[in-house]
């Protein structure tokens, strides 16, 4: 018979319900997005020709988009050798030209979503790569979803990994991710799709 006692966070890792992990988290929450995840989004969405990636890290999302002919403004608070560093997206007041796409530091996901919706023009889009658990929470519901429902949420049917410190990781992941798509001004129901 299987022993299910494990350690204090085993059950949380199994169900992907929290950030419990035996590994240390990266200091600035840098978990790069696999280009595969971007390619899968592009199979379902047509992004504006002009994009802003405000948490560009080492350019994993930006480089994939550039290969597809998009013009991408890449910024980040931390200098990781790509894009323009020292730009605190949460303090920006310059309107975006086109759409915004990013994988924000998870602890600031709510702030990134609200700031991105503030900075894009009506009818433009915000694309956020987030954990599926970002759908949960009374505070998020009150501050985001009740006022600004995503137009579409694309759930990955096969889990994709985020790369700690930008290092590719082929290990399986207990965390489920999705692309959340907002259209500024949209107030209709959210459509859930699988990719």
């Amino acid at each position: 018979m299987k022993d299910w006692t494990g350690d204090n966070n085993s059950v949380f890792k199994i169900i992907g319900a929290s950030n419990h992990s035996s590994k240390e988290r990266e200091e600035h929450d840098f978990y790069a997005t696999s280009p595969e995840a971007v390619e899968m989004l592009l199979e379902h969405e047509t992004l504006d020709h002009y994009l802003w990636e405000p948490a560009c890290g080492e350019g994993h999302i930006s480089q994939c988009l550039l290969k597809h002919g998009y013009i991408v403004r890449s910024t980040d608070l931390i200098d990781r050798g790509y894009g323009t560093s020292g730009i605190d997206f949460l303090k920006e007041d310059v309107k975006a030209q086109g759409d915004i796409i990013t994988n924000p530091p998870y602890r600031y996901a709510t702030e990134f979503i609200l700031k991105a919706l503030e900075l894009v023009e009506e009818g433009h889009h915000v694309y956020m790569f987030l954990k599926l658990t970002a759908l949960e929470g009374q505070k998020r519901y009150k501050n985001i979803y009740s006022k600004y429902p995503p137009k579409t949420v694309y759930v990955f049917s096969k889990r994709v990994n985020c790369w700690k410190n930008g290092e590719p990781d082929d290990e399986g992941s207990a965390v489920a991710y999705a692309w959340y798509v907002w259209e500024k001004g949209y107030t209709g129901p959210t459509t859930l799709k699988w990719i």
Side-chain angles (χ1 to χ4, degrees), residues 106-173:
Y106 190 71
R107 72 185 93 172
Y108 299 115
T110 296
E111 292 86 346
F112 263 72
I113 293 164
L114 292 172
K115 177 54 81 169
L117 286 169
E118 174 191 323
L119 296 180
V120 294
E121 299 288 354
E122 198 82 8
H124 281 274
H125 295 86
V126 170
Y127 301 89
M128 293 278 174
F129 183 79
L130 301 166
K131 295 177 184 179
L132 198 53
T133 55
L135 287 171
E136 302 173 330
Q138 293 177 1
K139 187 176 178 184
R140 262 193 220 104
Y141 175 76
K142 180 183 175 190
N143 293 333
I144 302 173
Y145 303 126
S146 66
K147 302 172 192 172
Y148 317 109
K151 187 170 186 180
T152 312
V153 176
Y154 292 100
V155 180
F156 289 92
S157 57
K158 175 189 171 196
R159 293 204 172 159
V160 295
N161 288 343
C162 279
W163 301 343
K164 182 177 178 180
N165 294 316
E167 296 294 324
D169 181 2
D170 292 330
E171 285 185 27
S173 174

Side-chain angles (χ1 to χ4, degrees), residues 3-194:
D3 176 10
W4 291 103
T5 54
D7 62 20
N8 290 339
N9 62 36
S10 295
V11 73
F12 297 107
K13 287 191 282 189
I14 290 168
I15 64 173
S18 76
N19 288 332
H20 290 85
S21 172
S22 57
K23 298 178 183 177
E24 289 291 316
R25 291 211 37 96
E26 200 279 331
E27 180 186 2
H28 295 288
D29 224 9
F30 176 43
Y31 291 83
T33 308
S34 165
E36 175 188 19
V38 181
E39 295 286 354
M40 293 170 84
L41 174 67
L42 294 177
E43 290 174 10
H44 298 273
E45 289 280 323
T46 302
L47 286 60
D48 191 89
H49 189 66
Y50 295 96
L51 300 166
W52 182 3
E53 213 296 34
C56 69
E58 295 175 347
H60 295 87
I61 291 175
S62 296
Q63 289 177 18
C64 185
L65 293 168
L66 288 168
K67 287 179 189 172
H68 284 272
Y70 291 98
I71 295 173
V72 186
R73 176 185 178 206
S74 302
T75 64
D76 204 313
L77 179 62
I78 309 300
D79 184 357
R80 298 191 191 281
Y82 189 89
T84 305
S85 62
I87 306 295
D88 186 343
F89 178 66
L90 299 179
K91 294 180 179 173
E92 282 291 297
D93 58 5
V94 176
K95 290 289 185 183
Q97 182 179 8
D99 297 337
I100 292 177
I101 181 170
T102 196
N103 172 0
Y106 190 71
R107 72 185 93 172
Y108 299 115
T110 296
E111 292 86 346
F112 263 72
I113 293 164
L114 292 172
K115 177 54 81 169
L117 286 169
E118 174 191 323
L119 296 180
V120 294
E121 299 288 354
E122 198 82 8
H124 281 274
H125 295 86
V126 170
Y127 301 89
M128 293 278 174
F129 183 79
L130 301 166
K131 295 177 184 179
L132 198 53
T133 55
L135 287 171
E136 302 173 330
Q138 293 177 1
K139 187 176 178 184
R140 262 193 220 104
Y141 175 76
K142 180 183 175 190
N143 293 333
I144 302 173
Y145 303 126
S146 66
K147 302 172 192 172
Y148 317 109
K151 187 170 186 180
T152 312
V153 176
Y154 292 100
V155 180
F156 289 92
S157 57
K158 175 189 171 196
R159 293 204 172 159
V160 295
N161 288 343
C162 279
W163 301 343
K164 182 177 178 180
N165 294 316
E167 296 294 324
D169 181 2
D170 292 330
E171 285 185 27
S173 174
V175 181
Y177 291 96
W179 279 108
Y180 294 66
V181 182
W182 282 268
E183 181 181 303
K184 188 163 184 175
Y186 179 80
T187 57
T190 300
T191 301
L192 181 66
K193 296 184 178 181
W194 285 265

